[in-house]
Amino acid sequence: MSILGLKKKQPKTFKVKVITMDAEVEFSCEVKWKGKDLFDLVCRTVGLRETWFFGLRYTVKDTYAWLKQEKRVLDQEVPKDSPITFHFLAKFFPEKVEEELVQEITQHLFFLQVKKQILDEEIFCSPEASVLLASYAVQAKYGDYDPNFHKPGFLAQDELLPKTVLMQYQMTADMWEEKITAWYAEHRGIARDEAEMEYLKIAQDLEMYGVSYFAITQNKRDTDLLLGVDAQGLHIYSPNSKLNPNKSFPWSGIRNISYSEKEFTIKPLDKKKDVFKFYSSQLRVNKLILQLCIGNHDLFMRRRKVDSIEVQQMKAQAKEEKARKKMERQILAREKQMREEAERAKEEMERRLFQLQDEARLANEALLRSEETADLLAEKAQIAEEEAKLLAHKAAEAEQERQRLEVTAMKTKEEKRLMEQKMREAEQLAVKLVEQSERRLKEADHLKQDLTEAKDAERRAKQKLLEITKTTYPLIAAYSAPPAPPAAPEAPDFAYESASMRLDFKDSDMKRLSMEIERERLEYMEKSKHLQDQLKELKSEIESLKLEEQQQQAGVYTLHSEAAGYVQEPVYLPHSNRNSAYMSQMAYYEEV
């Protein structure tokens, strides 16, 4: 076996990872590939035809460099890692994005890169412009604003504003989202590519847009400066200010740019102006500056020439593509509008259907309720009819009762009148009885006086009789009777006195008096009995009137009670006095 066969075989390919703004792609490249071969492969993979704006950038120590297309990949100062990492980025920026960016993929890549530079604060942007740019970024990502779909908080996970802007104002994330959403709602109807183009049109007016900055020193004084390279030319800045350049050299006014090791020379086109020299710290940075100057100057000159056939074809295709997309968007918008109108009509019909169903349901319920109400009303009508009959019957009974009460009232009035008449008669009778009792009492007093006088007369008569007897009795006894025993001398006087008294009481006046007294007693007893019967009848009538007329109970009862009490008083007192007089007379007669 030969010595060459024992040598280790060198690999014929190497791996490369290319990171674009929205994807990562890995390739297997041949060792002999140049930078242009890898770059063309990436462009074909991405679908990019405007290749002159882009390049493959890699990191070398503390700085970065762009892959040269005319040299082999492995012969350049690329990292020795596997896979080798490259970033596919925009190397040169257009002066007017709307005129120079033809392809949609080109403007999309520019949009993503510029957006990232603004968020990373590589490009300064004011808060107002940041909010407006964020609204276009949201429109490009989410499409038209729909309040039913885009609820509050739907932007919480998106990075839309630079950190310095967020820290500059004391506002919450919800407040920023509200401001962005207010602008976002006004972009309705803008397509994604149009929103991205509007974003780039605003961003290209920013002072730091498309500028690559390098640290330099000027002449022997070693003054720190910044060199800015962009599509317009070269600019000299103070270290603390990247917005306003101290001096500018437009590409149209530069005659030549050269460098020797670390020294850079800018020769103006006007020979009267001084040559500007500056120094860079590294040779690699000088090469990068020169590369960017050549590329930007070539594009500057290219813009001022007639477009190549390839660019014209691309612009024509892009124009046709835009017209087609515009037509499609119009058709889509019209179809969307028709669909929205159809959906609204459908929703309206569904709403109307639901409304009609609800109305039908309510009508059915109302019908059922009306039927139930009709049944209930019929039942109530029947009950009302029965109640009417009952009320009519009660009314008839009430009328009869009223008539009966009227008759009863009339009877009551008549009975009351009769009662009052009877009471008046009873009062008159009581008055008469009182008068009679008083008269009888007077007569009794007269009789007592007569009896007293009679007793006095009798006593005087007895005395006279005794006197006469005493004077005459001895003479009679002497002539007609035998002599009497001496033990009883007074016996003849007692017998004679008794005979004289009996003779006196058989007198006609005494008999007449006794008969009159007895007759009057009998009459008084009959009258008293008759009066008691009348009082009992009057009480029974009063009790019957109390039961019939309860409304007049108290008055009638009081009236009858007063009448009864008033009648009884004159009846009772004369009766008691009369009895006492009568008993006193009888006791006197028995004693006599």
Side-chain angles (χ1 to χ4, degrees):
M1 184 179 294
S2 64
I3 298 175
L4 296 175
L6 295 175
K7 291 182 181 180
K8 186 178 180 180
K9 293 184 178 180
Q10 296 292 331
K12 296 182 180 181
T13 58
F14 61 94
K15 293 187 178 296
V16 173
K17 182 172 69 173
V18 179
I19 301 174
T20 64
M21 294 305 302
D22 57 354
E24 292 184 3
V25 185
E26 289 190 1
F27 301 100
S28 180
C29 304
E30 296 181 3
V31 177
K32 61 180 181 180
W33 275 14
K34 295 182 179 181
K36 188 176 185 312
D37 298 328
L38 179 58
F39 180 76
D40 292 340
L41 178 61
V42 174
C43 291
R44 286 195 303 270
T45 304
V46 175
L48 181 68
R49 296 180 63 184
E50 295 174 280
T51 58
W52 49 87
F53 292 111
F54 296 89
L56 293 173
R57 195 177 74 176
Y58 58 92
T59 304
V60 181
K61 295 181 181 180
D62 296 333
T63 184
Y64 66 89
W66 295 94
L67 185 66
K68 297 177 181 179
Q69 297 189 10
E70 64 275 6
K71 293 179 65 175
R72 290 173 54 180
V73 176
L74 296 179
D75 291 344
Q76 302 183 42
E77 297 178 339
V78 296
K80 303 302 180 182
D81 302 331
S82 181
I84 303 172
T85 303
F86 294 96
H87 292 271
F88 187 77
L89 298 173
K91 185 177 181 181
F92 307 104
F93 288 81
E95 294 181 20
K96 296 181 181 180
V97 292
E98 190 174 9
E99 296 179 1
E100 296 182 42
L101 299 182
V102 179
Q103 281 187 296
E104 184 177 344
I105 183 62
T106 307
Q107 73 178 24
H108 179 64
L109 292 175
F110 266 98
F111 163 75
L112 295 177
Q113 184 171 341
V114 172
K115 176 185 173 184
K116 186 176 183 305
Q117 288 178 341
I118 291 175
L119 295 178
D120 293 342
E121 299 180 6
E122 295 179 7
I123 298 177
F124 174 78
C125 184
S126 63
E128 295 78 7
S130 298
V131 173
L132 181 58
L133 291 175
S135 66
Y136 280 110
V138 173
Q139 177 69 23
K141 181 177 181 180
Y142 293 100
D144 291 339
Y145 174 70
D146 187 359
N148 298 323
F149 179 74
H150 300 106
K151 302 294 183 180
F154 75 103
L155 299 178
Q157 303 300 324
D158 294 331
E159 185 181 3
L160 299 172
L161 297 173
K163 293 181 180 180
T164 54
V165 174
L166 296 175
M167 296 173 62
Q168 187 175 357
Y169 297 93
Q170 294 180 354
M171 295 177 62
T172 62
D174 295 336
M175 294 179 180
W176 285 114
E177 180 179 338
E178 185 178 355
K179 293 180 69 67
I180 294 172
T181 306
W183 284 98
Y184 167 44
E186 297 182 0
H187 303 330
R188 186 177 182 83
I190 299 178
R192 191 195 76 169
D193 56 339
E194 293 177 350
E196 292 177 351
M197 181 56 69
E198 294 295 328
Y199 188 100
L200 292 175
K201 286 166 65 175
I202 297 173
Q204 74 178 357
D205 294 332
L206 300 176
E207 290 80 359
M208 298 177 65
Y209 166 79
V211 181
S212 300
Y213 294 92
F214 301 93
I216 60 173
T217 58
Q218 186 179 8
N219 299 332
K220 299 178 181 180
R221 292 177 295 178
D222 294 334
T223 305
D224 292 333
L225 297 173
L226 290 177
L227 174 66
V229 183
D230 63 2
Q232 301 291 335
L234 298 177
H235 310 281
I236 307 300
Y237 299 89
S238 298
N240 298 326
S241 176
K242 294 183 179 181
L243 301 179
N244 299 316
N246 298 333
K247 185 180 293 187
S248 296
F249 301 95
W251 297 119
S252 59
I254 297 175
R255 182 170 52 123
N256 186 19
I257 298 175
S258 62
Y259 78 95
S260 174
E261 294 182 356
K262 297 181 180 181
E263 183 182 15
F264 234 95
T265 304
I266 301 175
K267 295 181 180 181
L269 188 61
D270 188 0
K271 295 182 179 181
K272 295 180 180 180
K273 292 183 179 180
D274 296 335
V275 176
F276 183 80
K277 294 183 179 181
F278 58 88
Y279 299 88
S280 176
S281 60
Q282 298 178 6
L283 180 61
R284 187 181 299 107
V285 175
N286 291 338
K287 293 180 179 180
L288 179 59
I289 294 173
L290 182 61
Q291 187 178 2
L292 291 176
C293 289
I294 295 172
N296 279 295
H297 185 268
D298 290 342
L299 288 176
F300 177 80
M301 299 303 295
R302 183 176 180 176
R303 294 184 193 103
R304 277 125 184 103
K305 295 179 181 180
V306 179
D307 294 332
S308 62
I309 297 175
E310 182 182 4
V311 174
Q312 292 178 4
Q313 291 177 352
M314 289 171 56
K315 287 184 177 181
Q317 292 176 359
K319 187 176 181 180
E320 293 176 359
E321 186 70 16
K322 286 183 179 180
R324 183 182 61 81
K325 287 186 177 181
K326 185 177 180 181
M327 183 66 67
E328 289 178 355
R329 282 197 298 269
Q330 291 177 354
I331 295 173
L332 181 62
R334 187 165 57 251
E335 291 178 352
K336 184 177 180 181
Q337 183 179 1
M338 294 174 63
R339 184 172 68 251
E340 289 177 354
E341 292 177 355
E343 289 178 355
R344 285 195 296 270
K346 180 181 178 182
E347 291 177 357
E348 180 65 22
M349 292 178 66
E350 290 178 352
R351 187 185 63 79
R352 183 60 180 167
L353 177 62
F354 291 152
Q355 184 178 0
L356 292 175
Q357 289 177 352
D358 292 338
E359 291 178 357
R361 179 177 56 81
L362 294 174
N364 290 329
E365 292 177 356
L367 180 60
L368 293 176
R369 286 197 300 270
S370 62
E371 291 177 354
E372 294 176 357
T373 306
D375 297 338
L376 184 60
L377 290 175
E379 185 178 355
K380 286 184 177 180
Q382 185 177 0
I383 294 173
E385 185 177 358
E386 294 177 357
E387 290 179 353
K389 292 180 180 179
L390 182 61
L391 290 175
H393 182 64
K394 288 184 178 180
E397 292 180 353
E399 183 65 22
Q400 294 177 0
E401 183 68 18
R402 186 185 64 79
Q403 294 176 0
R404 185 183 66 77
L405 290 176
E406 289 180 355
V407 174
T408 304
M410 295 175 65
K411 289 181 179 180
T412 303
K413 291 180 180 179
E414 183 66 23
E415 289 175 355
K416 183 178 179 181
R417 187 181 62 77
L418 294 175
M419 189 189 307
E420 291 176 354
Q421 184 177 359
K422 289 182 180 180
M423 288 175 63
R424 287 194 297 270
E425 293 177 357
E427 289 176 358
Q428 294 175 0
L429 181 60
V431 172
K432 289 180 180 181
L433 289 174
V434 170
E435 292 177 354
Q436 290 179 3
S437 64
E438 291 178 354
R439 189 172 66 252
R440 296 300 180 186
L441 288 174
K442 291 180 181 180
E443 291 178 357
D445 292 337
H446 289 302
L447 289 174
K448 285 182 180 182
Q449 187 177 4
D450 292 341
L451 286 174
T452 303
E453 291 176 358
K455 286 182 181 181
D456 294 338
E458 182 180 0
R459 187 170 57 251
R460 287 193 301 271
K462 284 182 181 180
Q463 291 177 0
K464 289 180 179 183
L465 183 59
L466 289 175
E467 292 176 357
I468 294 172
T469 303
K470 289 180 179 180
T471 57
T472 59
Y473 182 71
L475 295 177
I476 295 172
Y479 292 102
S480 61
E490 292 180 358
D493 294 335
F494 180 75
Y496 183 78
E497 185 178 358
S498 300
S500 298
M501 289 175 67
R502 284 193 297 269
L503 288 175
D504 292 334
F505 279 103
K506 289 180 183 178
D507 191 77
S508 61
D509 293 333
M510 187 61 71
K511 289 181 181 179
R512 180 177 57 79
L513 180 61
S514 299
M515 290 176 65
E516 287 180 0
I517 291 171
E518 183 67 20
R519 181 173 55 80
E520 288 178 0
R521 186 182 68 80
L522 293 174
E523 289 179 359
Y524 177 78
M525 293 297 292
E526 289 179 359
K527 289 182 179 180
S528 177
K529 184 178 179 181
H530 179 67
L531 183 59
Q532 292 291 336
D533 293 339
Q534 286 182 351
L535 290 175
K536 288 181 181 181
E537 183 180 357
L538 183 61
K539 287 182 180 180
S540 63
E541 290 178 358
I542 291 172
E543 293 296 330
S544 63
L545 289 175
K546 286 181 181 179
L547 295 176
E548 291 178 358
E549 295 295 333
Q550 294 182 359
Q551 295 81 359
Q552 303 175 0
Q553 180 178 1
V556 174
Y557 179 77
T558 304
L559 181 62
H560 290 180
S561 299
E562 292 177 356
Y566 182 74
V567 171
Q568 287 178 1
E569 185 176 358
V571 173
Y572 177 75
L573 292 175
H575 179 67
S576 61
N577 295 331
R578 185 63 180 171
N579 288 336
S580 63
Y582 174 74
M583 293 302 293
S584 64
Q585 290 178 3
M586 290 304 296
Y588 175 76
Y589 291 154
E590 289 176 357
E591 182 181 358
V592 176

